[in-house]
Amino acid sequence: MRGLAGFAVLVGLWDLLRLAHVLPPTAAPASWDIARALADPSLAVAAGDTLLAWAGGLLLAGVLGIAAGILLGVSRWADAATRVVIDFLRPIPAVALIPVAVVVIGLGAGMQAVLVAFACLWPLLISTRFGVRDVDPLLVETGRVFGASGLRLAATVTGPAAVPAIRTGLRTAASLGLVVAVATELVAGSPGLGWYIAQQQQAGQIPAAYAGIVVAGSLGYVIHLVFDLSAGRAVSGRAVSRRSVSGRAFSGRR
Amino acid sequence: MAEIPLIRATALTKSFTSRGRTTRAIADITFAQAEGEFLGVVGPSGCGKTTLLRCLAGLDHPDTGTIEFDGHPITGIPPALSVVFQEYNRSLFPWLTTLENVRFPLRRPSSLGRRARAATREQAREALSRVGLADFADHHPWQLSGGMQQRVALARAIVSRPRLLLMDEPFASVDAQTRATLEQLTITLTVELGLTVLLITHDIDEAIFMSDRVLVLAARPTHILRELPIDLPRPRDDVETRALPLFQNHRRDIHHLLSPTPDS
Amino acid sequence: MKKALGYLVALLLLVVWEIAGRASDTGLFPPVSDAVTELASLLGTGSLRTDVLPSAGRALAGFALGTTLGALLGITIGWFHHLEPWVRPSLEFLRAIPPPAVLPVAVLALGATSGMRITVIAAAAMWPVLIAGVDATRAVEPGYVDVARISGLSPLTTLRRVILPAVLPALLAAARIALGLALIMMVISEMIGATAGLGYLILQAQRTYAIAQMYAGIIVLGLLGWLATALFALLERRVLGWYQDQKGIADG
């Protein structure tokens, strides 16, 4: 409720600054014009396209990244062998590969999904590897004591214990994937929100361009909510006051 | 006893409201503590002892009643006051070395010259050696055992030579052996530095062993059940003092006060 | 031994690339030697000064600006915690906007200038740090603040000597994410309405079918990213040594 009020104030501020010519009125349309432009049916189609490329890329990265992450987490040799290559490839911003992907794969949703997957691969791979390696040795030993080994150990102990770390990676990947999906549309012109925004801006339909941004933001917000909730919202600011007295029972000492 | 008590609380009350429910923590507390006196405050867990300490320290405000420090009503945190909190791992800064932790309360504006700053470092070093940790100045708190960390907290509390030292269950998070050592150390420091200490604890033995006088608090909402002078001889010894019949009597008295049996 | 293995594998991949490049006649996979030759001539012809360094400078400026602003705002909002329920949903929404989406309007509002590019980089880098700042400040151990108050610290000194060090690990973790976003925004902002910069160079190479040059540009970008990450790790080690030691975090 207070959040909604805060949002309303934000919108009001936008219109106020615009009317006061602090924001250039040509580049900052009125909020009601943006709201009207949200009704454009082709906007929904564009959102669907973006979502599709995002989901495809994330799925691809999920399968590859988690599998590779488990391998690298379990096998020190595999980890050592790939380290240099990964260290070099990882910092390359996926958007730099847009031209390469256009040349090699050609325009289309497949190209876009591959780029999204490239971006999402690293957070997934790194956090999975970390999660697998960070599993409490006591858990693994317990598993061993009860006769689990090899694949069974991985499936019953190592895998489940690494899930929280994998979820963290998934959360990072999910929002990063959307960034790359939109960027690809912007540069390569694949159908989707990025392309929609660029088109509207070039056509002088500024409110429509902003409507595209709002929808992109909403998409990001929903993705964030879904992945955050599924991850159980780890240690965030909701810290309750921990100023409680320790629970030691009251007693005299012998 | 001196004419003007160092700290005097009169008719304190305090309640908390959360989610529309009001809990009374302090019903009515009035007491005074003289300079140089070691005052123990004992009561069951969760009875509002910590709330009382936070009010005395000026960290919280009582709903009604007044607190006077050295004859003047307090309007904030008295500068000549220091606190040892219960949980060292929540009160020592992990990013500072033990020396820097101890030095933390010493005023250190950048306007201070190099010599003055070196002096505060010396002061901190001295406090550290008083608690027997001179060799651990450059360690970080998390590299030390729980008992050692609480020693650091103790050093930090005495470094500014406070007139009143408030201790909130200071030894509740360490094992029994360490606890006895820390109790002895605290008594030694009290004598050496002439400290006035108010110790809050749920441990009856600890309160009797260390204090000149013990206030026994009732369960929440808390009030004073009994005020008990402890005329055990000093210096006190961990084994001898506890074996005295007088000690046992005090112990029995407080026990009965706090856990009344139906037929008593 | 294991370290050498990593380089060996990297070398092997380069050799495979070289052989495959020579064998293929599509022109899409020029051998790596061509890319390296191109890289050398690229840097030799002054592209380092006209494209690479300006790009890196903009990324650095935007990153520094954005993370600083994010830290300031985040800690402020977290400190005045009564504010949070009012602004949180708005912040979460603004944060969720994929930064590239605002590029077209940024060009419209600010023109295709360096300032615009630094602005969008900063805007992208700000959000992760801001949100982390809010959360971390709210989660600061209340006991720490009690100690500061007992020690007679003013609120401002408390912020500097207690809150800031306490939230720094969270801020730097978020800044790592911001670094990635800054690089993305650096490249993408140079692919729109630009006439210089790494992103422009790569896109232009593709459009003129100078494929070897395109790969050369990407290699430069990879090196730049690697350098940035390494420098960042160094910084982290310097200011967060205590934290890494405490948590037993090994380097790398």
Side-chain angles (χ1 to χ4, degrees), chain A residues 240 242-254, chain B residues 45 54 86 90 172 179 183 202-205 242 251 258:
Chain A
V240 270
R242 282 161 294 181
R243 205 172 272 140
S244 60
V245 192
S246 111
R248 263 175 73 130
F250 154 72
S251 68
R253 200 167 22 144
R254 266 141 296 237
Chain B
S45 285
R54 294 183 63 82
Q86 175 185 349
R90 287 179 185 171
R179 185 178 187 137
E183 286 171 5
H202 66 254
D203 187 319
I204 296 170
D205 286 23
R242 286 174 205 270
R251 188 167 184 273
L258 287 173

Side-chain angles (χ1 to χ4, degrees), chain A residues 227-247:
Chain A
F227 280 81
D228 234 28
L229 288 181
S230 72
R233 231 188 138 85
V235 205
S236 78
R238 307 285 128 105
V240 270
S241 173
R242 282 161 294 181
R243 205 172 272 140
S244 60
V245 192
S246 111

Side-chain angles (χ1 to χ4, degrees), chain B residues 59-80:
Chain B
L59 288 168
D60 272 344
H61 297 290
D63 296 339
T64 61
T66 54
I67 298 167
E68 285 162 64
F69 190 86
D70 210 13
H72 304 285
I74 63 166
T75 54
I77 297 162

Side-chain angles (χ1 to χ4, degrees), chain B residues 54 57-61 77-79 81-83 85 89-96 100 103-108 140 142-143 156, chain C residues 140-153 157-158 160-167 239 241-247:
Chain B
R54 294 183 63 82
L59 288 168
D60 272 344
H61 297 290
I77 297 162
L81 175 147
S82 175
V83 180
F85 293 96
N89 55 347
R90 287 179 185 171
S91 81
L92 292 178
F93 302 119
W95 56 88
L96 297 179
E100 289 303 318
R103 199 174 158 215
F104 187 85
L106 298 177
R107 229 138 286 229
R108 209 166 20 139
H140 283 270
W142 37 270
Q143 293 168 317
R156 180 177 64 189
Chain C
V140 166
E141 192 53 66
Y144 293 173
V145 181
D146 285 346
V147 171
R149 287 177 64 195
I150 288 291
S151 304
L153 263 57
T157 319
T158 305
R160 190 168 56 79
R161 285 183 62 193
V162 177
I163 305 294
L164 195 61
V167 301
V239 300
W242 65 270
Y243 183 76
Q244 296 178 337
D245 290 342
Q246 184 185 14
K247 304 280 177 221

